[in-house]
Amino acid sequence: MHLLKMSKSRIFQICGIMAPVFMILLIFYWDDVGTTHFYLHTAITSIRVSHLPPVADLNRDQLHSKKSVEERTPSSEADIIQGNLDLTYVESTMGYQKGGGSHEFEQTFNAISVPSFEEKLPGFDLGIDSIKTKTELEWIQHERKRKIKDVCADSSITFSGKNRNFEDIPNKELDHLIVDDRHGIIYCYVPKVACTNWKRIMILLSGSILKQGSPYHVPLEIPRDLVHNSTSHFTFSKFWKRYGKFSKHLMKVKLKKYTKFLFVRDPFVRLISAFRSKFGIKNEDFYSHFAIPMLQLYANYSDPPPSVNEAFSAGIKPTFVNFIQYLLDPRTEKDRPFNEHWRQVYRLCHPCQINYDFIGKLESLDEDASYLLKLLNVEKFVQFPPSLRNRTVSSWEEDWFSKIPVAWREKLYELYQPDFVVFDYPKPTNLLFD
Ligand SMILES: *[C@@H]1O[C@H](CO)[C@@H](O)[C@H](O)[C@H]1NC(C)=O
Ligand SMILES: *[C@@H]1O[C@H](CO)[C@@H](O)[C@H](O)[C@H]1NC(C)=O
Ligand SMILES: *[C@@H]1O[C@H](CO)[C@@H](O)[C@H](O)[C@H]1NC(C)=O
């Protein structure tokens, strides 16, 4: 008995010594072999699918007949083929639904709907008519990255957290960085910038959640609530739990080795989009946490309806003016930082600390998405879902801001200026004094 206890504690001692040694070895592994591992993996992926004809070249009727596909391709490719098949299937199903779900469309314009329907709507910027060459796309990326470097190096431009080191960023501020270790990808998600679909792609690539034991192959099959559940993603802010005191070092190694990307959009247009999706349609959470205080503080409702349903049936909603007032109110950030839907991108993604390899813009989403998936070497494996929402576009800006006093617009610009400057969006002079 005594002997057994001795050996047990001995084992614990050994474990205590071995654990850090193991972690150090792991870090060396990442430092030295990580890259090889990464390229090996993606190379295999592309070799495995390379002999398949591109989906677009296949006759869709033939695709739907499983027999002809199986004849065409060896069974070892089944999983990937299945993925392509499903993708095509979803596309054609959507065509079939055409004109059907307009009620649902109005209720949740963020949800996936019908592409052919969207094309008919005025004010949509699908951006698919401008096909750029690879050189042009490379140049655009080069310019976007250069702009960030210049701004970060320019000491005349200041904003909070600009000059700190990566090590000094608190863990909870790293909760928007999603890691895919299988392909060596890090995505910083920005709400209101196609993040649902990019999160879907990250789930699909990393295999972080499964459907009845097997990975998802089609982004749109992953339900929204699962996509936005934080347990579905492995973020930097979770490293501490898994890797303890080595987590910051591991993060830095991964930041060095992995391909890092984010998507941004015009900051003011993003605010309109956030307002529409969180206050223009019923949302109990946003109603109780944000709309009620806005109604009390800025709209003279001392006792607003307790539920979003009652408020909507009484026609009581915060206005865009109330929302802007809320953003400009110094009391708003006293307790907690801005909600992620309107928090500035520079505070979510730390562009001066993280050297992003790819900066996508919502204004050129389709183009940027297909180029990025090629750069990540996964374009044969996954396609970006077509963007199908009633997207907020910049041509609406003057309308939306018409009731906002110009002095407030100036203040709002100051609040979001770092995002305008870092991501190279022009100052909206048409809305401001100068
Ligand atoms: C799209 O949004 C605008 C502004 O909110 C609205 O006027 C328009 O009716 C919407 N279109 C559809 C089809 O929902
Ligand atoms: C998120 O997922 C976890 C695990 O699947 C579940 O327990 C939890 O209830 C989910 N949270 C929300 C808000 O849906
Ligand atoms: C709110 O009520 C106060 C006093 O009752 C009034 O002075 C103010 O103009 C009202 N504000 C709005 C936005 O109606």
Side-chain angles (χ1 to χ4, degrees), residues 52-63:
L52 291 175
V55 178
D57 292 351
L58 290 172
N59 181 316
R60 286 193 180 178
D61 295 336
Q62 272 185 318
L63 257 175

Side-chain angles (χ1 to χ4, degrees), residues 334-402:
K334 277 260 166 67
D335 296 335
R336 61 177 72 163
F338 273 6
N339 175 274
E340 59 173 10
H341 290 85
W342 43 86
R343 200 183 312 164
Q344 295 89 334
V345 180
Y346 79 89
R347 295 166 68 192
L348 296 172
C349 295
H350 320 291
C352 289
Q353 286 76 27
I354 295 173
N355 189 11
Y356 286 96
D357 301 285
F358 185 93
I359 295 101
K361 292 198 169 184
L362 194 80
E363 292 81 0
S364 51
L365 176 63
D366 302 277
E367 206 167 70
D368 287 358
S370 66
Y371 180 48
L372 173 61
L373 292 176
K374 278 193 193 103
L375 287 180
L376 297 174
N377 214 358
V378 297
E379 88 275 17
K380 287 183 180 142
F381 182 63
V382 60
Q383 283 181 18
F384 192 76
S387 52
L388 311 158
R389 311 157 309 151
N390 190 352
R391 188 189 290 168
T392 310
V393 291
S394 52
S395 55
W396 300 357
E397 243 180 354
E398 291 204 24
D399 231 26
W400 276 85
F401 279 90
S402 63

Side-chain angles (χ1 to χ4, degrees), residues 298-300 322:
Y298 317 119
N300 271 2
N322 299 151

Side-chain angles (χ1 to χ4, degrees), residues 71-97:
E71 278 165 11
R72 204 194 304 258
T73 47
S75 60
S76 64
E77 310 296 332
D79 52 341
I80 292 164
I81 299 154
Q82 192 59 47
N84 281 343
L85 260 178
D86 287 349
L87 200 59
T88 319
Y89 180 68
V90 165
E91 280 170 8
S92 54
T93 314
M94 286 178 151
Y96 173 71
Q97 284 174 351

Side-chain angles (χ1 to χ4, degrees), residues 6 155-156 158 295 309 320 362 371 387 390 404:
M6 277 289 286
S155 57
S156 73
T158 56
L295 291 169
N309 274 330
F320 190 58
L362 194 80
Y371 180 48
S387 52
N390 190 352
I404 312 288

Side-chain angles (χ1 to χ4, degrees), residues 130-364:
S130 60
I131 306 293
K132 293 199 179 66
T133 65
K134 185 164 167 282
T135 321
E136 283 169 320
L137 291 165
E138 270 169 9
W139 176 250
I140 289 169
Q141 283 306 317
H142 176 266
E143 286 301 291
R144 287 179 189 168
K145 287 185 275 186
R146 190 181 58 89
K147 178 72 184 182
I148 296 177
K149 269 214 181 86
D150 288 354
V151 172
C152 292
D154 185 341
S155 57
S156 73
I157 300 170
T158 56
F159 50 84
S160 68
K162 180 177 177 239
N163 297 317
R164 64 185 165 180
N165 293 318
F166 177 75
E167 287 83 351
D168 301 327
I169 302 175
N171 213 33
K172 63 176 188 299
E173 289 183 35
L174 298 170
D175 60 348
H176 281 60
L177 292 150
I178 298 176
V179 183
D180 165 25
D181 282 321
R182 277 162 94 190
H183 299 83
I185 300 169
I186 293 171
Y187 165 48
C188 183
Y189 75 91
V190 179
K192 303 319 301 168
V193 193
C195 93
T196 306
N197 281 334
W198 283 113
K199 280 179 170 178
R200 283 191 167 109
I201 300 236
M202 292 304 281
I203 289 173
L204 193 144
L205 290 176
S206 63
S208 63
I209 49 177
L210 305 174
K211 184 182 69 173
Q212 286 142 18
S214 58
Y216 282 97
H217 291 298
V218 184
L220 295 185
E221 273 186 359
I222 310 172
R224 276 186 84 78
D225 54 342
L226 222 54
V227 171
H228 291 297
N229 188 324
S230 67
T231 62
S232 304
H233 302 281
F234 185 44
T235 58
F236 266 8
S237 54
K238 294 181 183 170
F239 271 42
W240 180 249
K241 233 177 171 174
R242 192 182 286 191
Y243 305 113
K245 60 182 167 180
F246 299 101
S247 51
K248 268 278 158 61
H249 184 86
L250 263 179
M251 283 180 211
K252 283 176 76 175
V253 171
K254 290 183 188 207
L255 283 172
K256 203 166 110 192
K257 307 282 187 196
Y258 287 6
T259 306
K260 306 156 293 293
F261 76 95
L262 83 168
F263 270 76
V264 297
R265 80 190 292 183
D266 181 285
F268 277 8
V269 181
R270 180 170 167 242
L271 289 180
I272 300 171
S273 176
F275 177 80
R276 287 177 67 211
S277 72
K278 298 306 165 202
F279 304 108
I281 36 184
K282 288 180 191 171
N283 184 316
E284 199 66 66
D285 260 8
F286 279 80
Y287 180 76
S288 56
H289 287 106
F290 304 104
I292 289 183
M294 282 180 209
L295 291 169
Q296 288 169 330
L297 287 168
Y298 317 119
N300 271 2
Y301 287 102
S302 55
D303 192 18
S307 77
V308 73
N309 274 330
E310 289 167 78
F312 269 57
S313 23
I316 297 169
K317 294 179 199 178
T319 62
F320 190 58
V321 179
N322 299 151
F323 176 58
I324 300 302
Q325 210 168 350
Y326 169 82
L327 296 177
L328 295 176
D329 193 330
R331 288 171 292 183
T332 302
E333 291 227 49
K334 277 260 166 67
D335 296 335
R336 61 177 72 163
F338 273 6
N339 175 274
E340 59 173 10
H341 290 85
W342 43 86
R343 200 183 312 164
Q344 295 89 334
V345 180
Y346 79 89
R347 295 166 68 192
L348 296 172
C349 295
H350 320 291
C352 289
Q353 286 76 27
I354 295 173
N355 189 11
Y356 286 96
D357 301 285
F358 185 93
I359 295 101
K361 292 198 169 184
L362 194 80
E363 292 81 0
S364 51

